[in-house]
């Protein structure tokens, strides 16, 4: 779905499909160079990272493996608390593997900081993060992101995997959701 198809539900358009494609290409070139023949395991965090994973994986001209995790952040209210529960775990043994976590967005950073530690404890040779979006003004913990797409303002965004109540994941670009949609 194009951003224009739901333009009334959006305020600012932040990132077009062309900008996303260009950035994914840039990140893929760096990842190829860094991992070369190490056959990294790309770990996608469901559900938001599905689009990034699908496009990034196809852009890579090296052999990779893919696996998926689903996690939920608990806490008072709707914000991430850093207390994370695994809803679906990996099928892959991480011993000695080079792991690249693929995420849609880093908000507080609490989920990824937890996930990074969790995967490191499983005996991986290395664990790095690739995230399409980051909200620097929302950071509660510092998480090092080796491969970052875009820094964005601290507003609720949808599209390219990101949803509001499961809608808008299939938008080709990323935009700020208009308040009238959730008020
Ligand atoms: P933390 O705060 O732990 O959480 O970094 C990251 C997760 O929160 C979700 N998230 C969003 N989802 N629009 C969304 O649709 C947003 O603007 C947004 N900000 C955070 C997302 O699931 C991410 O993995
Ligand atoms: Mg997510």
């Amino acid at each position: 779905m194009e951003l224009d198809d739901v333009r009334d539900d959006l305020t600012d358009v932040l990132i077009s499909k062309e900008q996303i494609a260009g950035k994914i290409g840039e990140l893929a070139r760096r990842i190829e160079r860094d991992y070369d023949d190490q056959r990294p395991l790309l770990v996608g965090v469901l559900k938001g990272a599905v689009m990034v994973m699908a496009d990034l994986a196809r852009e890579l001209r090296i052999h990779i493996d893919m696996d998926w995790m689903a996690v939920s952040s608990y806490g008072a209210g709707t914000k991430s608390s850093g207390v994370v529960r695994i809803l679906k775990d990996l099928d892959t043994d991480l011993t000695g593997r080079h792991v690249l976590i693929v995420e849609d967005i880093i908000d507080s950073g609490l989920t990824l900081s937890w996930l990074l530690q969790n995967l490191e404890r499983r005996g991986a040779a290395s664990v790095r993060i690739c995230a399409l979006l980051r909200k620097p003004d929302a950071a509660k913990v510092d998480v090092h992101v080796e491969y970052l797409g875009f820094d964005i303002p601290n507003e609720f965004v949808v599209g390219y995997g990101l949803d509001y109540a499961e809608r808008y994941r299939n938008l080709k670009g990323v935009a700020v959701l208009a308040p009238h949609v959730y008020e």
Side-chain angles (χ1 to χ4, degrees):
M1 187 184 265
E2 306 293 335
L3 293 170
D4 275 346
D5 292 326
V6 287
R7 196 61 187 81
D8 292 347
D9 293 354
L10 310 170
T11 54
D12 300 332
V13 169
L14 295 181
I15 309 168
S16 67
K17 61 184 177 187
E18 291 82 9
Q19 288 173 297
I20 293 174
K23 187 64 77 174
I24 298 262
E26 283 173 30
L27 295 176
R29 299 295 83 79
R30 287 179 48 208
I31 291 168
E32 287 161 4
R33 201 184 55 221
D34 293 353
Y35 288 92
D36 191 27
D37 58 357
Q38 295 183 66
R39 191 161 171 172
L41 174 69
L42 274 56
V43 171
V45 185
L46 295 169
K47 306 172 189 169
V50 166
M51 306 298 176
V52 195
M53 177 73 112
D55 285 344
L56 178 66
R58 282 177 294 181
E59 196 58 41
L60 287 170
R61 301 176 194 139
I62 55 172
H63 290 296
I64 59 156
D65 292 299
M66 275 185 263
D67 204 346
W68 301 91
M69 276 182 91
V71 297
S72 85
S73 301
Y74 273 162
T78 54
K79 291 281 174 194
S80 178
S81 65
V83 182
V84 176
R85 193 166 64 106
I86 295 175
L87 304 177
K88 186 237 170 275
D89 207 347
L90 299 172
D91 300 322
T92 315
D93 179 5
L94 298 192
T95 313
R97 297 299 305 266
H98 293 283
V99 175
L100 181 60
I101 301 173
V102 177
E103 252 291 32
D104 48 358
I105 188 165
I106 305 181
D107 193 292
S108 69
L110 290 167
T111 307
L112 265 182
S113 144
W114 182 92
L115 197 57
L116 193 63
Q117 280 186 38
N118 181 283
L119 299 188
E120 277 169 348
R121 286 195 194 112
R122 303 187 195 194
S126 70
V127 186
R128 288 179 179 169
I129 294 169
C130 173
L132 183 71
L133 307 171
R134 177 175 65 183
K135 296 179 183 173
D137 298 338
K140 285 193 185 145
V141 286
D142 210 30
V143 182
H144 181 69
V145 187
E146 193 75 33
Y147 309 100
L148 175 69
F150 305 91
D151 275 325
I152 60 168
N154 192 8
E155 294 186 83
F156 193 79
V157 297
V158 294
Y160 200 70
L162 292 157
D163 71 305
Y164 171 68
E166 297 300 326
R167 280 160 70 198
Y168 308 107
R169 286 193 200 276
N170 58 327
L171 291 180
K172 293 182 185 176
V174 174
V176 177
L177 192 62
H180 74 78
V181 176
Y182 52 84
E183 271 168 2

